[in-house]
């Protein structure tokens, strides 16, 4: 899931430890400084990414990628399934990451 496909102008995005360890990074980031030389393409968007570890107050973010089930009132935009064991039927997968939106904060 590419979080840059979300259609928001301004966003504060928390990236959890698991997402950061498994590829969620600022590599080829969009809408966040440092911009590519053509600033006109990004002039209407400003995103702030945060990879703070440990206990995090999600209420201060407009979006987050989390490794624990999200708060019930948050909107789930996508899930990332991963290995969850073996069974007689084969490999089991279950959601391990959730891309969520805070319903209380504007994402304009």
């Amino acid at each position: 899931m590419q979080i840059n496909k979300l259609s928001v102008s301004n966003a504060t995005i928390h990236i959890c430890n698991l997402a950061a360890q498994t590829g969620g990074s600022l590599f080829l980031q969009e809408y966040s400084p440092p911009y590519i030389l053509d600033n006109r393409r990004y002039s209407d968007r400003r995103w702030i990414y945060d990879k703070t570890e440990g206990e995090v107050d999600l209420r201060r973010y407009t979006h987050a990628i989390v490794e624990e089930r999200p708060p019930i009132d948050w909107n789930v935009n996508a899930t990332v399934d991963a290995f969850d064991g073996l069974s007689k039927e084969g490999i089991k997968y279950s959601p391990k990451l959730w891309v969520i939106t805070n319903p209380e904060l504007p994402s304009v």
Side-chain angles (χ1 to χ4, degrees):
M1 163 61 177
Q2 293 180 339
I3 199 160
N4 62 356
K5 297 211 186 246
L6 297 174
S7 57
V8 295
S9 297
N10 297 305
T12 52
I13 303 163
H14 179 262
I15 300 173
C16 73
N17 187 39
L18 178 62
Q21 287 182 21
T22 56
S25 72
L26 301 184
F27 181 68
L28 293 177
Q29 67 204 29
E30 293 193 51
Y31 317 127
S32 178
Y35 297 114
I36 298 175
L37 294 176
D38 183 7
N39 285 351
R40 291 168 290 167
R41 180 174 166 204
Y42 301 100
S43 62
D44 64 334
R45 294 185 179 213
R46 173 137 174 82
W47 290 12
I48 298 169
Y49 296 90
D50 181 6
K51 293 189 198 177
T52 301
E53 292 186 32
E55 193 81 18
V56 175
D57 181 8
L58 290 177
R59 293 175 296 182
R60 51 183 269 225
Y61 300 97
T62 59
H63 299 80
I65 303 174
V66 295
E67 59 192 276
E68 296 177 6
R69 292 201 179 273
I72 196 145
D73 57 335
W74 281 58
N75 302 318
V76 176
N77 299 314
T79 59
V80 178
D81 289 345
F83 177 79
D84 196 28
L86 297 172
S87 70
K88 291 179 182 178
E89 292 79 32
I91 298 173
K92 296 189 302 183
Y93 296 93
S94 68
K96 300 295 180 186
L97 291 172
W98 289 263
V99 179
I100 58 176
T101 303
N102 185 341
E104 297 178 11
L105 297 176
S107 52
V108 225

